[in-house]
């Protein structure tokens, strides 16, 4: 009881790392995932092939294995040796999450009727402009619900980093329960509520985006 | 002036086993209005779409203004900017206002500044009779209005030739006329046009030439008067007897 009750900052600090991991990987995954989706639907066969292979390999690999590759295997190849743990965590989570973002966005792209892209090409827009001006703005609307799920999963997946020396919420929780075994229920519930708050904020964001974009359709 | 604007030379295309375009040869002069008619599945829409390479071809060549169509990339985009296209299903950009639909091409492709693009767009929207709808979204307009916006959007690129792929087939009967009126206006203004349509009235009024297609081939071509009163081929006579009876 003493630790949490006396020092609420302990919990907030723990979640600060979680939030950093989630936000940074989330943004990076959105960018990388969008690029991958554009490759998969684009006219360049090599890139489309690359996107497909990337998604099938990464999606079939457990997140824990990707963490092992980034934190343990990469340094044996002299890669990422001096990279801070937080950045390594972001890299691992981004590699993993971008595959799911890619598929969510591809679903959105497929929901935009082919005629929209044809009309864009017909007025002389290049593939890139067709995507950024016409297809993606419409695709993102259809993408909000699945993308929210992917990002919520990401927020919770940050807990895997606990096993790799990152003092995010789950790692701190484990430390606290070790030192205060009598209070473990209180500690569990406090941290559960922390995750719930993060996820609820994200859900609310998704709902308001959906609502805002629905009006202009 | 004598050099044709669009030339299709021995064009062939297959969809898998289906030979949709069979040795098509056609040349379209500047200012000419060519109406392509024929039963569904005859390849007329495909033919229209090959001219801006929304459909690729397997054999032969297509030239615009003496230059062969580029295969890919920026050159192809530049070619498409020269060729206006109007679709059966309008395909207005659903997330953009009417004005933005018309200005997108000039701004993004031609690099026109926004104010000039909007001024030109408003003039074009006035010309097709939907100037008062500029700030609405496509879904708020009727089909006929949407199609007229689509024509304005194509015209904003100042194309050398306009392609119409069954522009009135998705419209209610009372809206067909408002679209055809705009098209007749364009034709009389000297625009080079390729029009795939079932509107025989438009063909009679505005066409310089009627091309009749069936089963992927150009079966017959003639002036509208000659074609409608005196079709030569059995296939065309059969087609006309079916559509003109009612």
């Amino acid at each position: 009881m003493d630790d949490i009750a006396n020092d609420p900052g302990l919990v907030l600090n723990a979640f600060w790392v979680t939030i950093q991991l989630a936000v940074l990987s989330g943004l990076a995954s959105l960018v990388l995932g969008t690029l991958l989706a554009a490759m998969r639907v684009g006219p360049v066969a090599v890139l489309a092939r690359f996107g497909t292979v990337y998604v099938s390999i990464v999606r079939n690999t457990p997140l824990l294995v990707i963490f092992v590759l980034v934190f343990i295997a990469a340094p044996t190849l002299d890669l990422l040796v001096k990279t801070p743990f937080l950045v390594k965590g972001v890299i691992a989570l981004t590699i993993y999450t971008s595959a799911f973002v890619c598929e969510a966005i591809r679903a959105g792209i497929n929901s935009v009727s082919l005629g929209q892209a044809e009309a864009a090409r017909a007025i002389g827009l290049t593939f890139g402009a067709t995507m950024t001006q016409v297809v993606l703005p419409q695709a993102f609307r259809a993408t909000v619900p699945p993308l929210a799920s992917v990002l919520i999963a990401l927020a919770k997946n940050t807990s895997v980093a606990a096993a790799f020396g990152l003092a995010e919420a789950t790692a701190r929780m484990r430390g606290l329960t070790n030192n205060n075994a009598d209070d473990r229920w209180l500690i569990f519930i406090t941290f559960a509520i922390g995750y719930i708050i993060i996820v609820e904020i994200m859900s609310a964001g998704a709902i308001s985006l959906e609502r805002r974009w629905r009006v202009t359709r | 002036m004598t050099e044709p604007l669009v030339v299709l030379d021995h064009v062939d295309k297959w969809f898998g086993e289906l030979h949709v375009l069979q040795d098509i040869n056609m040349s379209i002069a500047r200012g000419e209005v060519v109406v392509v008619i024929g039963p569904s599945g005859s390849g007329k829409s495909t033919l229209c779409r090959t001219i801006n390479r929304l459909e690729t071809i397997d054999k032969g060549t297509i030239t615009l203004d003496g230059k062969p169509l580029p295969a890919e990339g920026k050159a192809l985009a530049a070619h498409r900017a020269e060729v206006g296209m109007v679709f059966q299903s309008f395909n207005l950009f659903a997330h953009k206002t009417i004005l933005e639909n018309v200005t997108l091409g000039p701004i993004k492709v031609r690099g026109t500044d926004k104010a000039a693009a909007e001024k030109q767009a408003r003039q074009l929207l006035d010309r097709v009779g939907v100037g008062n709808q500029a700030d609405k979204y496509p879904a708020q307009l009727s089909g006929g209005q949407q199609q007229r916006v689509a024509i304005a959007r194509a015209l904003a690129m100042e194309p050398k030739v306009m392609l119409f792929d069954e522009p009135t087939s998705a419209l209610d009967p009372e809206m067909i006329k408002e679209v055809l009126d705009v098209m007749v206006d364009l034709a009389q203004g000297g625009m080079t046009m390729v029009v795939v349509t079932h509107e025989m009235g438009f063909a009679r009024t505005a066409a310089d030439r009627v091309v009749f297609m069936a089963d992927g081939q150009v079966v017959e071509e003639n002036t509208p008067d000659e074609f409608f009163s005196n079709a030569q081929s059995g296939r065309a006579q059969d087609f006309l007897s079916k559509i003109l009876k009612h």
Side-chain angles (χ1 to χ4, degrees):
Chain A
M1 189 69 178
D2 297 342
D3 280 9
I4 292 191
N6 292 341
D7 190 2
L10 218 57
V11 178
L12 292 179
N13 273 333
F15 274 105
W16 175 231
V17 178
T18 295
I19 290 169
Q20 280 179 297
L21 277 172
V23 170
L24 294 175
S25 328
L27 292 175
S29 303
L30 284 175
V31 172
L32 185 57
T34 307
L35 279 177
L36 284 166
M39 285 182 189
R40 288 200 69 174
V41 302
V44 184
V46 181
L47 294 180
R49 188 90 204 131
F50 172 81
T52 311
V53 170
Y54 180 94
V55 166
S56 58
I57 289 178
V58 170
R59 216 163 41 156
N60 294 334
T61 308
L63 177 57
L64 194 63
V65 174
I66 294 179
F67 264 90
V68 169
L69 289 174
V70 171
F71 277 78
I72 299 169
T76 66
L77 301 171
D78 281 341
L79 295 168
L80 305 177
V81 178
K82 288 186 176 161
T83 314
F85 275 19
L86 181 75
V87 176
K88 282 191 195 179
V90 169
I91 291 174
L93 286 165
T94 301
I95 290 174
Y96 183 75
T97 310
S98 57
F100 293 89
V101 169
C102 165
E103 291 303 90
I105 289 179
R106 205 165 59 89
I109 290 172
N110 288 343
S111 78
V112 178
S113 77
L114 187 61
Q116 294 285 309
E118 284 192 342
R121 284 149 66 202
I123 56 171
L125 294 181
T126 57
F127 172 77
T130 299
M131 292 301 285
T132 57
Q133 297 297 317
V134 174
V135 177
L136 286 176
Q138 297 185 61
F140 278 131
R141 292 166 199 201
T143 301
V144 172
L147 215 47
S149 295
V150 169
L151 293 176
I152 285 168
L154 164 67
K156 294 183 292 179
N157 284 341
T158 55
S159 61
V160 174
F164 294 85
L166 264 167
E168 50 65 73
T170 300
R172 294 284 177 99
M173 179 181 78
R174 203 166 48 191
L176 283 170
T177 49
N178 279 343
N179 299 335
N180 307 274
D182 292 345
D183 298 330
R184 58 178 170 262
W185 281 109
L186 177 68
I187 295 168
F188 279 143
I189 290 169
T190 308
F191 278 85
I193 289 173
Y195 279 106
I196 290 172
I197 291 173
I198 292 177
V199 169
E200 279 305 311
I201 290 173
M202 295 170 74
S203 307
I207 289 169
S208 87
L209 269 185
E210 258 185 90
R211 205 168 283 154
R212 176 151 10 129
W213 282 346
R214 190 183 302 147
V215 194
T216 60
R217 194 187 281 258
Chain B
M1 280 310 281
T2 47
E3 184 195 321
L5 184 61
V6 181
V7 178
L8 291 85
D9 187 32
H10 297 291
V11 169
D12 277 280
K13 180 179 178 64
W14 284 264
F15 282 133
E17 292 286 288
L18 188 66
H19 198 174
V20 279
L21 295 179
Q22 302 178 21
D23 194 30
I24 304 290
N25 294 287
M26 187 183 285
S27 79
I28 298 157
R30 272 162 227 280
E32 191 179 18
V33 177
V34 176
V35 166
V36 184
I37 63 172
S40 54
S42 59
K44 55 195 192 304
S45 276
T46 306
L47 175 77
C48 183
R49 291 162 56 88
T50 60
I51 297 175
N52 68 352
R53 213 175 153 83
L54 283 180
E55 298 286 354
T56 55
I57 56 175
D58 297 313
K59 267 202 224 160
T61 55
I62 300 177
T63 57
L64 173 73
D65 229 352
K67 285 179 292 196
L69 298 205
E72 266 304 334
K74 289 210 160 63
L76 178 58
H79 164 81
R80 285 181 175 142
E82 307 280 298
V83 181
M85 174 114 196
V86 175
F87 300 87
Q88 179 176 350
S89 47
F90 328 135
N91 295 343
L92 293 182
F93 306 131
H95 62 305
K96 292 197 178 287
T97 64
I98 296 309
L99 189 68
E100 289 166 346
N101 262 275
V102 182
T103 58
L104 182 67
I107 291 173
K108 292 289 166 191
V109 179
R110 299 269 191 242
T112 314
D113 76 83
K114 193 161 176 258
E118 286 186 354
K119 184 163 172 259
Q120 179 210 24
R122 287 188 193 281
Q123 281 169 357
L124 284 168
L125 289 172
D126 281 338
R127 179 167 155 200
V128 299
V130 286
N132 53 350
Q133 313 285 340
D135 297 321
K136 291 188 180 171
Y137 284 89
Q140 296 169 289
L141 268 60
S142 73
Q145 289 172 325
Q146 287 190 53
Q147 193 62 300
R148 284 182 283 153
V149 173
I151 293 172
R153 175 176 69 181
L155 289 175
M157 299 303 292
E158 293 169 353
K160 290 177 178 166
V161 52
M162 288 277 286
L163 309 174
F164 294 82
D165 186 6
E166 302 204 27
T168 57
S169 298
L171 294 175
D172 291 341
E174 71 261 41
M175 292 171 184
I176 291 177
K177 183 177 180 303
E178 64 191 45
V179 172
L180 290 180
D181 284 347
V182 170
M183 290 167 59
V184 170
D185 241 28
L186 265 183
Q188 286 166 353
M191 176 62 76
T192 311
M193 295 163 64
V194 178
V195 185
V196 175
T197 187
H198 298 293
E199 296 299 327
M200 300 305 147
F202 174 80
R204 281 180 200 275
T205 319
D208 297 307
R209 176 159 49 126
V210 172
V211 172
F212 176 76
M213 285 186 74
D215 305 321
Q217 291 167 319
V218 172
V219 177
E220 192 170 340
E221 49 186 319
N222 217 327
T223 61
D225 282 349
E226 270 299 303
F227 178 77
F228 287 114
S229 59
N230 190 19
Q232 301 297 309
S233 64
R235 195 76 184 76
Q237 286 165 0
D238 180 51
F239 177 77
L240 288 173
S241 74
K242 280 176 188 151
I243 58 161
L244 296 180
K245 205 164 267 178
H246 296 287

